[in-house]
Amino acid sequence: MQWYTTGANGKAGARIRAAAGARFPRSTAREFSMSDAVVTRFAPSPTGFLHIGGARTALFNWLYARRFGGKMLLRIEDTDRERSTDAAISAIIDGMRWLGLDWEGEPIYQFARAARHAEAAHQMLAEGKAYKCFATQQELEAMREAARAEKRPPRYDGRWRDRSPQDVAAAEAAGLKPVVRLKAPQEGETVVEDRVQGRVVFPNKDLDDIVLLRSDGNPTYMLAVVVDDHDMGVTHVIRGDDHLTNAARQTHIYQAMGWRVPVMAHIPLIHGSDGAKLSKRHGALGVDAYRALGYLPAALRNYLVRLGWSAGDKEMFSTQEMIDAFDLPQIGRSPARFDFAKLENLNGHYMRASSDKDLLAALLDTLPHLEKGAALAAKLDDSMRAKLLAAMPGLKERAKTLVELLDGARFLYEERPLPLEPKAAETLANGGRAHLAALLPRLAALPEWTAAAAEAVVRAYSEETGAKLGSVAQPLRAALTGRTTSPGIFDVLQVLGRDESLARLKDQADA
RNA sequence: GCGACCUUCGUCUAUCGGUUAGGACGGCUGCCUUUCACGCAGCAAAGAGGGGUUCGACUCCCCUAGGUCGCGCCA
C-alpha cells in the first residue's frame, strides 16, 4: 500500500525527501514492477482551448508512456455540462495532433461513465464508507460563514455523518434530496508519496468529507477521476500540482474502494513572466495561437520539456532524445516562468535545422493559420513554390518564426511596382538611382543569370567607379525588395530571375 | 484564516556536503560582412534573509519573508 494512516504523531506538513538512490518509495517500486505496463492519461476538461500548461502536462504524460513502453490515454472530463463545449473538445484534440502527441484508442468521455461512477458511490454507501447528507446549500453557506468568522478553515462539520437510519429515512420521506459524502478518516494523516513533490503529509482533520454524488445523482469530479483512473488501469497520474491536495482526498476514495493508488506525480504549474499566474498576456494561449504565431511543433515541444525538467546541460532534444532521457526524478518542484524569447530562439534553431523542403512544407501548411498568409496563398503556384524553395536558405536564417519567414519572403510574391519602405526610398533618392541606371545595361548583358555572374558584374562596377560595394548593393536591395534588409542581394537577383529583376531595377532607375 | 508547495544569474536550469557555482536564453563587446541575420570569440550577471548541524553548506534542520496552489453539490 502506498497510502496509510498513522497516528497523529507525525509532524504535520512535513515532507521528507527520499534519500538519493531511494527516490522511489519502495512500496511503489514493488507494486509497479517492470511487468506492469505503464498507463498514463491526459485528462483535460473541455471548457476552453488546450493552453500551454495543459500541453506540457500532456507532453510529460506522453513522454513518460513512451519512455517506459506504455501508453497514454486521453480522457475528456466533461462532467461540467454547463461549461463543456464541443468546440473545446476539438480544439484540444486538434492542438494535441498539431503538437504530435497521440494517444491510445478513442478518447474517453467522462460524462458517459456517470452510471459507473454512481455505482461506485453506492457501493461505498452500502459498505458504510459513505453517507447521505441532507444539509442544504444555505446550511453549507452558514458553515463557511461561521468558519470564516472564527478564522477556522471552511469545512463541512459532518452533521450527517453519523445520523441514525431513522433520521435519514425521515429526511427522505420529507422529499429532501441528499448528496453522498465520503466518510473520510478524521484522525491521523494521509500520505501522498509523490514522485515529484516527495512525501507529502496531510492531517486528516484538514480534509473533510467530500461530496461523491450530487443531489441530482451525478458524480463529482473527485469521484469520477478516481473511478476512471482505476477502471482505465492508469498506473501513473501526472498532472498539475494544483491537484496535490486533491490527491490526498482521492486517496481516501481509493482507500474506501480498496483500490491501489496509482503513482502520483504533481508537476509545478507554469507561471507568467512576472511570476504570477499565467494569463493570456503571458502566453496562456491555446496551442493554436502558437501555431498562428509561427512556432514549429518540435520547437514548442523542446521548449516545454525544458520548462521544469532537465537532463544536465542539454538544451536541444529531438523527440527521440526526449523520450530516451525523460523521467520523473528530473522534474523540478518550483514553478517555471514562461519566456517567449527563449521559445523564439529555439524556434529559430529548429527552422535553420530544417531542410529547405521541410520548412517550405511547414510554411505552406501553416499558411491558413497565419494572419497574413492569404497574400502568399493567393499567389501560390509551381513557379512560386520553386522561388520559395530557392530562396529558403537565405530566408530561414533570418527568421525566428514562420511569421517572420513569410514576411521575409514578401519580396518574392509582391507585384511590381514594389512599394518602398521609407528607408529604401531614401537609399534610392540619395544617389542610388544613378548606380541602378549604370548597372542596368551591364546586368542585362549577362549571358547567364546567376548569383555569381551578377556578383562579378557588380563588384567590377564597384571597383571601376570606386563606389563602395555597400553603396551599390543597398540601392539594388531597395529596388529589388523594397526594403533595406533582405537575403544576400545576389541570391535575390538569381531567385527573382532575369526578367523580374531587370524590370524591378528599371522601375526604380526610371523613377 | 487554515493547509500544502516553492525560492541558484533578468529567465530556464546544473550542482545531489568540499566547484574559480557550470550551461542555455536575453543583454553588452568584438570578429565576419553588400543590409539584416547566421556563425564565431569574449564580458557582465545568482545561492531571499536569519539562525543552527558540520572540519566544511547552495546542498541537511529550524525560523522569517515573499510567491504559488488548494480549502464548491467547478474541474
Side-chain angles (χ1 to χ4, degrees):
Chain A
M1 298 294 230
Q2 289 169 76
W3 51 262
Y4 48 88
T5 306
T6 65
N9 53 353
K11 221 172 274 174
R15 176 188 42 72
I16 297 111
R17 233 186 146 168
R23 199 104 181 220
F24 299 172
R26 258 148 284 133
S27 55
T28 315
R30 191 172 59 243
E31 281 196 55
F32 298 105
S33 62
M34 296 310 249
S35 62
D36 287 309
V38 164
V39 180
T40 64
R41 50 45 159 204
F42 177 55
S45 58
T47 53
F49 43 46
L50 174 61
H51 59 85
I52 205 69
R56 187 185 59 153
T57 301
L59 175 64
F60 281 16
N61 275 285
W62 185 84
L63 286 172
Y64 192 78
R66 278 290 143 88
R67 168 77 165 78
F68 293 102
K71 57 186 180 182
M72 177 175 85
L73 273 19
L74 176 63
R75 184 172 72 225
I76 306 292
E77 309 217 317
D78 56 349
T79 54
D80 185 340
R81 304 314 288 168
E82 300 286 297
R83 298 194 297 152
S84 296
T85 65
D86 287 344
I89 292 172
S90 14
I92 289 165
I93 288 177
D94 184 49
M96 288 183 68
R97 290 220 177 101
W98 176 71
L99 253 186
L101 306 180
D102 54 357
W103 56 92
E104 185 91 0
E106 290 299 308
I108 289 146
Y109 291 86
Q110 191 161 58
F111 180 70
R113 294 176 37 81
R116 164 62 182 145
H117 304 146
E119 178 186 307
H122 287 123
Q123 182 186 329
M124 287 183 266
L125 206 47
E127 293 172 356
K129 289 168 177 162
Y131 60 93
K132 291 179 180 172
C133 167
F134 294 86
T136 61
Q137 295 287 3
Q138 291 76 7
E139 286 179 79
L140 262 17
E141 191 47 47
M143 257 178 247
R144 282 191 277 268
E145 288 284 315
R148 205 173 310 135
E150 293 170 45
K151 302 198 172 188
R152 282 185 295 106
R155 207 122 296 164
Y156 173 68
D157 64 8
R159 62 182 59 177
W160 284 90
R161 186 176 163 108
D162 296 305
R163 284 297 179 92
S164 66
Q166 289 81 355
D167 284 356
V168 173
E172 271 175 338
L176 294 174
K177 295 282 184 217
V179 298
V180 173
R181 282 184 187 271
L182 181 72
K183 197 178 259 184
Q186 293 175 306
E187 304 285 308
E189 16 187 65
T190 296
V191 176
V192 175
E193 295 285 4
D194 194 276
R195 293 276 271 266
V196 171
Q197 304 291 336
R199 179 186 162 94
V200 188
V201 180
F202 297 88
N204 284 331
K205 65 175 173 55
D206 294 335
L207 273 12
D208 56 2
D209 291 349
I210 51 171
V211 173
L212 265 15
L213 241 36
R214 302 186 176 101
S215 51
D216 63 4
N218 280 318
T220 59
Y221 158 81
M222 211 63 83
L223 204 220
V225 166
V226 172
V227 174
D228 285 347
D229 282 339
H230 172 265
D231 289 1
M232 289 159 69
V234 171
T235 59
H236 292 70
V237 172
I238 303 170
R239 72 220 311 187
D241 71 3
D242 48 337
H243 286 289
L244 189 56
T245 28
N246 288 339
R249 296 179 224 280
Q250 287 163 9
T251 293
H252 291 156
I253 302 178
Y254 281 105
Q255 203 167 351
M257 290 303 292
W259 290 339
R260 181 174 72 174
V261 181
V263 172
M264 299 284 189
H266 288 89
I267 63 181
L269 268 15
I270 298 175
H271 288 176
S273 51
D274 57 0
K277 184 179 178 162
L278 202 57
S279 68
K280 271 194 184 175
R281 183 167 52 86
H282 295 122
L285 309 165
V287 292
D288 59 315
Y290 289 86
R291 173 166 53 191
L293 254 16
Y295 296 108
L296 263 19
L300 190 54
R301 261 182 269 140
N302 198 149
Y303 177 70
L304 288 177
V305 81
R306 283 286 292 100
L307 219 47
W309 174 86
S310 60
D313 284 343
K314 196 170 165 59
E315 296 282 351
M316 303 286 289
F317 290 87
S318 70
T319 302
Q320 191 56 48
E321 286 172 329
M322 267 181 220
I323 292 169
D324 293 340
F326 192 81
D327 205 349
L328 270 11
Q330 301 108 296
I331 298 176
R333 289 192 310 230
S334 53
R337 300 182 187 201
F338 193 89
D339 180 15
F340 270 108
K342 188 144 184 173
L343 205 211
E344 213 164 85
N345 170 275
L346 229 27
N347 204 63
H349 275 289
Y350 275 87
M351 285 178 51
R352 273 173 264 127
S354 299
S355 72
D356 298 336
K357 192 165 153 286
D358 289 351
L359 193 55
L360 176 57
L363 175 66
L364 265 21
D365 286 348
T366 312
L367 235 34
H369 303 280
L370 299 180
E371 198 188 337
K372 291 176 179 165
L376 173 56
K379 299 275 169 56
L380 212 53
D381 56 17
D382 286 348
S383 140
M384 183 54 66
R385 279 174 223 272
K387 280 184 185 173
L388 285 165
L389 193 61
M392 202 49 82
L395 253 20
K396 71 182 178 187
E397 70 179 23
R398 290 171 173 77
K400 290 199 170 79
T401 65
L402 294 178
V403 169
E404 290 179 7
L405 188 68
L406 177 65
D407 182 62
R410 214 164 70 201
F411 73 88
L412 290 175
Y413 58 88
E414 242 165 10
E415 305 252 346
R416 292 178 42 227
L418 246 46
L420 297 180
E421 286 185 351
K423 279 184 179 170
E426 206 177 302
T427 300
L428 289 167
N430 296 337
R433 288 201 166 82
H435 286 307
L436 295 187
L439 239 19
L440 214 35
R442 298 185 183 218
L443 252 12
L446 278 174
E448 65 167 18
W449 193 264
T450 64
E455 178 163 5
V457 162
V458 174
R459 283 192 187 275
Y461 169 80
S462 157
E463 275 171 38
E464 283 171 32
T465 60
K468 289 180 75 177
L469 188 54
S471 68
V472 182
Q474 279 306 83
L476 279 173
R477 191 182 320 279
L480 292 168
T481 71
R483 300 178 161 189
T484 52
T485 67
S486 79
I489 199 60
F490 306 116
D491 294 326
V492 168
L493 278 162
Q494 177 171 324
V495 169
L496 247 23
R498 180 194 296 267
D499 294 348
E500 181 69 18
S501 295
L502 293 177
R504 290 187 185 189
L505 293 178
K506 201 159 184 303
D507 285 344
Q508 293 307 327
D510 295 350

